[in-house]
Amino acid sequence: MTDRESDIDDGGLDEQTNALLAHVRALALQSDSDSDNDSDADLGGMGEFTAALGSLVREGHVPRSTEVTILSDFSTHTIERIPDHDPSSPDRPRLSFENILENLKNGKYKNIMLCVGAGISTAAGIPDFRTPGTGLYDNLSKYNLSQAEDVFCIDYFSTNPAPFYNLARELRPGKFKPTMTHHLFALLAEKGILLRCYTQNIDGLERQAGVESKYLVEAHGTFSTASCPFCATSVDIDTMNKALEDEIPLKCSKQMSDDSVCNRFVKPDIVFFGEGLPKRFLNSKIVDVEKADLCITMGTSLSVPPFCFLPEEVNAGCDNLLVNRDRVGPWGESRPDFNAFYQGSSDHAAVKIAEAIGLGDELKRRHQTD
Ligand code: OAD
């Protein structure tokens, strides 16, 4: 096991995770009894628990400080924008993008943490989610959803999987090529200065560009494995892919202890609203936020918890750069403490970063020959 693998060993955090879940569960029960006096037993298992938790997070009942790893969506709320001036704090003096480039050139950063979203893949031809007009959520009218995010909502999927199966056919990895930004990540890893790449994307382009698994945290899951979201039984990936290709929703064939068959719809292991994030997300971030000396957040609207809180969790001495078309910040009472901002395309920033570490030509070569 390498250092990077061993320091995020998946074991050892169960107690903490359980304590956190117990806390949130208590909140769920409290909220439930406030409304209709339902009992603990009436929550009826993990599915309803996660759904209850999802609503609690959405409605803002779960305190910001609670470590919630259930995916939630704040996108229906107004997302606060960072004010139109460069932020600064006593711990993190304001820096320009050029200052960060200079530091990179001087070898100041040895542990770069990346927090990325759909914006890094738009140059590959994959739409992001929330850009008005071109974003995926503005282009789902054919599914007649009450809200666009339902296509990735576990409750909706359990009764109507067809929209997701249709969309997944278009979004599945394989048709797209990595961008300059994805190639930069592989170069940072090869140079030995990449601590970890946290991605919300399910397009697999980081991997395709050559970023090894040990550097990757696919926070919103992956198309490369599949399972039943209700009983967790694994599904053969070729069978899953065939079902997606044919757009025929597949049901779980697991024999239950009472001899019934699970019979719920299965899906690739991408994380839906109302589901938990992979254990690796929580386990690795606890270590990485302490170790990172530069955090680069790229191409994300920072609207989906718990991922959106990552940039503000890094230690005070870590420089915190935002690379995005817009100034963004999470919904909630606090904002990420970015101390540098590059407004523009992630690929433009990637070229400048590669040049700063002496790999500008190599980046262009890889992108051209890909
Ligand atoms: P969004 O669509 O919410 O945000 C993309 C951000 O990238 C926006 O702020 C854009 O302005 C910016 N952007 C677009 N193209 C860019 C470019 N070439 N260079 C720089 N910035 C660019 O996407 P995410 O934040 O990734 O979850 O969305 C987070 C999650 O919401 C997704 O993982 C998905 C979605 O619901 C699930 O499906 C589970």
Side-chain angles (χ1 to χ4, degrees):
M1 206 183 270
T2 65
D3 280 355
R4 288 221 147 85
E5 282 165 310
S6 62
D7 63 14
I8 57 161
D9 186 353
D10 275 349
L13 285 166
D14 283 352
E15 212 175 296
Q16 186 183 359
T17 307
N18 285 340
L20 292 166
L21 283 175
H23 175 60
V24 178
R25 190 158 202 265
L27 284 166
L29 289 169
Q30 188 191 329
S31 153
D32 216 31
S33 62
D34 287 350
S35 54
D36 59 8
N37 286 328
D38 275 354
S39 70
D40 189 350
D42 287 339
L43 273 177
M46 232 15 222
E48 284 182 39
F49 164 58
T50 53
L53 184 51
S55 340
L56 276 174
V57 177
R58 270 196 297 280
E59 288 158 20
H61 296 305
V62 174
R64 161 67 194 87
S65 55
T66 308
E67 288 282 1
V68 181
T69 55
I70 305 291
L71 188 73
S72 174
D73 186 9
F74 287 175
S75 63
T76 50
H77 294 262
T78 307
I79 297 166
E80 286 186 34
R81 301 279 150 175
I82 295 173
D84 237 5
H85 56 79
D86 284 341
S88 61
S89 77
D91 290 322
R92 289 200 191 98
R94 186 197 310 179
L95 297 176
S96 65
F97 182 54
E98 285 65 33
N99 294 143
I100 299 275
L101 294 178
E102 198 57 35
N103 289 342
L104 279 161
K105 206 172 181 175
N106 297 335
K108 178 179 175 194
Y109 306 120
K110 309 265 186 281
N111 287 299
I112 301 177
M113 176 169 151
L114 303 166
C115 303
V116 304
I120 68 160
S121 296
T122 52
I126 306 172
D128 66 9
F129 293 89
R130 297 180 180 80
T131 292
T134 58
L136 190 71
Y137 289 153
D138 260 3
N139 291 284
L140 298 177
S141 54
K142 64 177 169 180
Y143 299 129
N144 291 321
L145 305 165
S146 60
Q147 57 174 33
E149 291 82 355
D150 282 350
V151 74
F152 297 117
C153 179
I154 196 64
D155 289 345
Y156 184 90
F157 174 83
S158 64
T159 54
N160 186 9
F164 169 73
Y165 269 70
N166 179 265
L167 194 63
R169 198 165 179 264
E170 293 167 34
L171 291 181
R172 265 188 312 151
K175 296 185 227 157
F176 306 97
K177 285 188 173 172
T179 64
M180 293 272 204
T181 308
H182 298 99
H183 286 295
L184 170 73
F185 299 169
L187 288 181
L188 294 175
E190 285 165 34
K191 200 173 165 69
I193 54 174
L194 180 63
L195 173 62
R196 208 86 58 197
C197 171
Y198 288 79
T199 181
Q200 297 167 95
N201 299 344
I202 50 174
D203 53 34
L205 291 182
E206 296 89 357
R207 236 174 247 284
Q208 220 172 298
V211 180
E212 292 174 61
S213 301
K214 66 181 176 183
Y215 292 110
L216 268 181
V217 177
E218 293 169 310
H220 292 174
T222 168
F223 267 103
S224 61
T225 56
S227 61
C228 171
F230 301 95
C231 72
T233 301
S234 295
V235 175
D236 172 66
I237 192 62
D238 293 334
T239 312
M240 182 77 252
N241 284 335
K242 174 90 173 63
L244 294 176
E245 190 57 42
D246 297 344
E247 291 184 45
I248 301 175
L250 190 65
K251 287 188 167 180
C252 179
S253 55
K254 163 98 173 164
Q255 198 85 29
M256 309 308 272
S257 52
D258 63 358
D259 273 354
S260 63
V261 174
C262 174
N263 219 28
R264 314 264 207 135
F265 293 112
V266 300
K267 62 173 184 61
D269 290 332
I270 61 174
V271 182
F272 275 29
F273 294 115
E275 291 192 294
L277 268 67
K279 223 173 155 192
R280 183 171 163 81
F281 174 78
L282 184 61
N283 291 355
S284 56
K285 79 154 175 139
I286 282 173
V287 179
D288 292 345
V289 294
E290 292 305 323
K291 214 167 165 181
D293 48 21
L294 172 65
C295 176
I296 312 182
T297 300
M298 292 178 119
T300 172
S301 62
L302 289 176
S303 48
V304 175
F307 193 98
C308 65
F309 300 124
L310 271 180
E312 68 187 69
E313 289 178 51
V314 292
N315 71 82
C318 174
D319 282 333
N320 216 348
L321 167 68
L322 172 67
V323 171
N324 211 59
R325 278 191 189 149
D326 318 299
R327 286 175 182 275
V328 290
W331 178 87
E333 71 272 26
S334 62
R335 315 168 187 284
D337 196 9
F338 293 119
N339 62 335
F341 177 45
Y342 175 86
Q343 184 157 24
S345 103
S346 62
D347 278 2
H348 288 162
V351 170
K352 289 191 183 305
I353 291 170
E355 283 168 354
I357 58 172
L359 294 171
D361 290 341
E362 177 60 13
L363 179 67
K364 286 175 194 149
R365 191 194 63 73
R366 286 194 190 192
H367 187 243
Q368 272 158 13
T369 54
D370 191 25

